Amino acid sequence: MSPSVNTLLLISLLAFPILNQGNRPVQKDPFEEKREHMVRRQIEARGVSDLAVLKAMRTVRRHLFVPPEVASKAYADHALPIGLGQTISQPYMVAYMTEVIRPTAQMKVLEIGTGSGYQAAVLAEIVREVYTIEIVPEHGVAAAARLKKLGYEQVQVKIGDGYQGWEEHAPYDAIVVTAGAETIPPPLLEQLKEGGRMVIPVGPAYRTQTLKLIEKKKGKLITKNLMPVIFVPFTRSGKN
Ligand code: SAH
């Protein structure tokens, strides 16, 4: 016996919400509006215009990268403490540093200073592979677990001193350093591909540093000073 029209209607009414639910994120993101506001007021308004970068900043749920007690401030216009004296950088700084390396889908990027994993996630929204090194084991372990849970399979986290870079996967199309270095680590320059770009804050610990962009062109290094910044210090294993 074929089912009556009423039965079919009932089945489709019942099935629809179930099927539909499967296509939607499980929970609505309560921070979506704040994130949109952050992108418009803090990032686009200050001149970041790379569409892929803006899309990544709109996509990555920054509140999941900060301790729960500061989640309500995750989209504010400043850096935030993430524990053990470290910080997650200001959203604008993350967007700006991502834009200056001119990220594309084919790129392999090295980040020094994983911290919360937020910058790595923003990069991973755009580029093919991200390798990131963190010197504080607690942060490295937590960030690796967070990135995995969020599905960022293309990010690999290593715990160690980023001064040496990550030779195994070199050369890199771009290198993003998110801790203030007193001098530029030579191994990072060596691991930068010909035509590659590195962005790095250089200067004394806890004082004003200069964000620098270094390009490797025909084997030569071309350095441009971008802006004054203050990042947490680039520490060394066995030193500090
Ligand atoms: N990119 C991070 C913020 C980084 S804060 C984010 O998106 O959350 C700077 C980080 O650099 C800190 O976690 C600090 O522990 C780490 N760091 C400092 N010196 C380092 C070094 N030599 N090698 C690797 N990580 C280092």
Side-chain angles (χ1 to χ4, degrees), residues 62 65 82-89 94 111-121 132-136 139-140 158-164 176-180 231-237:
R62 183 170 160 96
F65 290 80
I82 55 167
L84 304 169
Q86 304 305 336
T87 56
I88 178 172
S89 308
V94 174
E111 181 199 19
I112 309 300
T114 316
S116 68
Y118 177 69
Q119 170 77 74
T132 177
I133 308 177
E134 172 56 53
I135 202 165
V136 176
H139 282 315
K158 173 165 124 170
I159 291 163
D161 184 352
Y163 186 93
Q164 301 302 337
V176 176
V177 182
T178 65
F231 277 75
V232 295
F234 191 107
T235 54
R236 300 292 319 280
S237 46

Side-chain angles (χ1 to χ4, degrees), residues 32-231:
E32 203 173 314
E33 243 173 72
K34 279 193 169 183
R35 196 161 53 248
E36 179 59 30
H37 194 264
M38 167 194 89
V39 172
R40 288 196 186 181
R41 298 287 173 86
Q42 303 171 28
I43 296 170
E44 279 185 299
R46 293 191 183 119
V48 172
S49 61
D50 182 311
L51 293 180
V53 176
L54 295 172
K55 186 169 175 224
M57 297 302 292
R58 283 191 164 95
T59 306
V60 182
R61 287 172 292 168
R62 183 170 160 96
H63 60 278
L64 301 180
F65 290 80
V66 301
E69 59 275 17
V70 292
S72 64
K73 295 184 193 145
Y75 297 96
D77 195 10
H78 48 75
L80 279 173
I82 55 167
L84 304 169
Q86 304 305 336
T87 56
I88 178 172
S89 308
Q90 179 194 23
Y92 167 69
M93 193 50 61
V94 174
Y96 180 76
M97 288 172 79
T98 309
E99 183 175 58
V100 296
I101 62 160
R102 298 203 192 132
T104 63
Q106 296 75 36
M107 281 170 53
K108 175 164 44 158
V109 179
L110 175 68
E111 181 199 19
I112 309 300
T114 316
S116 68
Y118 177 69
Q119 170 77 74
V122 169
L123 287 165
E125 288 288 336
I126 309 169
V127 308
R128 182 166 53 94
E129 283 169 73
V130 179
Y131 295 90
T132 177
I133 308 177
E134 172 56 53
I135 202 165
V136 176
E138 291 88 337
H139 282 315
V141 169
R146 180 178 292 130
L147 289 161
K148 188 160 188 253
K149 189 172 162 204
L150 293 172
Y152 289 106
E153 304 287 338
Q154 64 281 56
V155 182
Q156 283 195 47
V157 182
K158 173 165 124 170
I159 291 163
D161 184 352
Y163 186 93
Q164 301 302 337
W166 195 338
E167 180 76 56
E168 192 187 341
H169 303 286
Y172 300 95
D173 299 289
I175 300 178
V176 176
V177 182
T178 65
E182 302 218 356
T183 56
I184 300 170
L188 298 183
L189 295 171
E190 273 157 36
Q191 291 173 26
L192 190 63
K193 203 180 267 181
E194 168 60 35
R197 308 182 123 214
M198 169 155 105
V199 63
I200 178 169
V202 184
Y206 302 111
R207 305 265 300 278
T208 304
Q209 302 141 1
T210 305
L211 190 67
K212 292 180 183 270
L213 177 69
I214 299 157
E215 283 184 84
K216 199 183 250 189
K217 277 190 179 161
K218 298 195 179 120
K220 284 202 186 123
L221 299 169
I222 300 157
T223 303
K224 199 169 146 191
N225 291 340
L226 300 175
M227 64 166 86
V229 289
I230 300 182
F231 277 75

